[in-house]
Amino acid sequence: IAGITQAPTSQILAAGRRMTLRCTQDMRHNAMYWYRQDLGLGLRLIHYSNTAGTTGKGEVPDGYSVSRANTDDFPLTLASAVPSQTSVYFCASSEGQGMRYGYTFGSGTRLTVV
Amino acid sequence: RKEVEQDPGPFNVPEGATVAFNCTYSNSASQSFFWYRQDCRKEPKLLMSVYSSGNEDGRFTAQLNRASQYISLLIRDSKLSDSATYLCVLRQGSGGYQKVTFGTGTKLQVIP
C-alpha cells in the first residue's frame, strides 16, 4: 500500500539520549516534512525538504536535524533529547511544494522523553 | 491574535443533525485553504480543499469568506463515523518555502 511509514510507533527515551525517527515514503513525492503535534498548539513544522538533497528549517527546528539523501527517506534526529520534546511526531509528504497538492501523513511516532 | 483560530469544541450533535464549524485567520495573504480530519490518535487526512466559490463533496460543504477572513465546514446528516477533530489549514506564499499553518482543531462528537 502506497504511503508513508514511520518508525518506531512509540518510544520512551531518557533525557540526553540521541534518537532518530525514521520516515519512508513510496509515492516518489518530492517534498517531505516533519511536524510535531502538542495539545493546544496544533501541528508545528520542524524541518522540511522540497527535494532530495535539500532541507530547510521550519517553525521549531531547535534540537532537531534532518537529512534527505534520497527521495524516499527523511529521518529526523534528536541529538540530545529533552523532556520538552515529548510529543507526537508526524512525517508528511506532498507531490509538490507546500500544500497545493495536499499532504499525506504517516501514522506518527509518540515520543516520551523522561 | 493567532494566525488561525478554531473553536476547540467539543460539538456534541445527534445523528442526522447538521453542524457547522468556522475557522478564522488573521493574514489576508493566505492563499489556499483546506479542511483536514484527524481521528483520535491517528494522523490527519485531507478532507477537502476550500475554493473561493465554495465547494461540496457529498454531505460536506466548504465555504471561504475572504472579506471576513474565515472558512467554514458544514456537515449535513451527521454520521457516527464523522466523529473526529477537524483541522483548518492555510497556505501562504508560492514557490520556494510556502508557509502552511494548521489550526488546533474542532472536535466533533456525533451521538447515537
Side-chain angles (χ1 to χ4, degrees):
Chain A
I1 299 176
I4 294 181
T5 301
Q6 288 186 239
T9 303
S10 65
Q11 181 76 45
I12 298 174
L13 185 68
R17 297 294 296 270
R18 178 185 179 91
M19 178 168 185
T20 295
L21 279 59
R22 300 184 297 278
C23 175
T24 300
Q25 53 112 349
D26 61 2
M27 298 172 286
R28 308 302 293 174
H29 283 174
N30 286 321
M32 296 188 75
Y33 314 87
W34 273 106
Y35 283 87
R36 60 177 289 173
Q37 187 173 34
D38 302 288
L39 193 63
L41 294 178
L43 284 150
R44 293 182 291 167
L45 182 65
I46 305 170
H47 285 286
Y48 67 95
S49 169
N50 287 333
T51 189
T54 69
T55 62
K57 294 181 179 181
E59 183 184 355
V60 288
D62 295 342
Y64 306 94
S65 63
V66 292
S67 62
R68 187 87 184 277
N70 56 61
T71 297
D72 298 343
D73 301 301
F74 190 43
L76 175 74
T77 297
L78 287 68
S80 179
V82 295
S84 62
Q85 291 178 312
T86 293
S87 187
V88 180
Y89 291 86
F90 288 104
C91 180
S93 72
S94 64
E95 186 177 339
Q97 295 172 17
M99 182 60 87
R100 179 181 176 185
Y101 301 90
Y103 285 1
T104 298
F105 284 88
S107 57
T109 294
R110 293 184 172 276
L111 180 66
T112 303
V113 182
V114 296
Chain B
R1 183 181 173 186
K2 288 184 179 178
E3 288 191 71
V4 179
E5 293 200 63
Q6 293 185 254
D7 182 340
F11 284 57
N12 297 312
V13 302
E15 269 187 292
T18 296
V19 62
F21 316 130
N22 280 347
C23 168
T24 58
Y25 61 95
S26 59
N27 190 335
S28 59
S30 298
Q31 296 174 308
S32 303
F33 306 86
F34 307 84
W35 283 103
Y36 272 66
R37 170 197 170 119
Q38 186 171 24
D39 293 289
C40 188
R41 300 178 73 85
K42 299 287 188 180
E43 71 273 22
K45 293 183 179 179
L46 178 64
L47 180 65
M48 58 197 305
S49 301
V50 186
Y51 303 121
S52 297
S53 56
N55 50 299
E56 188 174 309
D57 183 2
R59 298 181 293 107
F60 298 84
T61 300
Q63 296 277 357
L64 166 62
N65 186 316
R66 285 193 184 273
S68 300
Q69 295 187 198
Y70 73 87
I71 64 171
S72 64
L73 178 68
L74 180 79
I75 305 175
R76 290 180 298 279
D77 189 22
S78 298
K79 311 291 185 190
L80 294 175
S81 58
D82 294 334
S83 297
T85 296
Y86 291 83
L87 311 176
C88 86
V89 184
L90 283 57
R91 178 179 71 89
Q92 301 161 228
S94 59
Y97 174 59
Q98 297 175 16
K99 184 177 181 182
V100 174
T101 304
F102 285 80
T104 53
T106 296
K107 186 173 183 179
L108 171 67
Q109 185 70 47
V110 181
I111 303 164

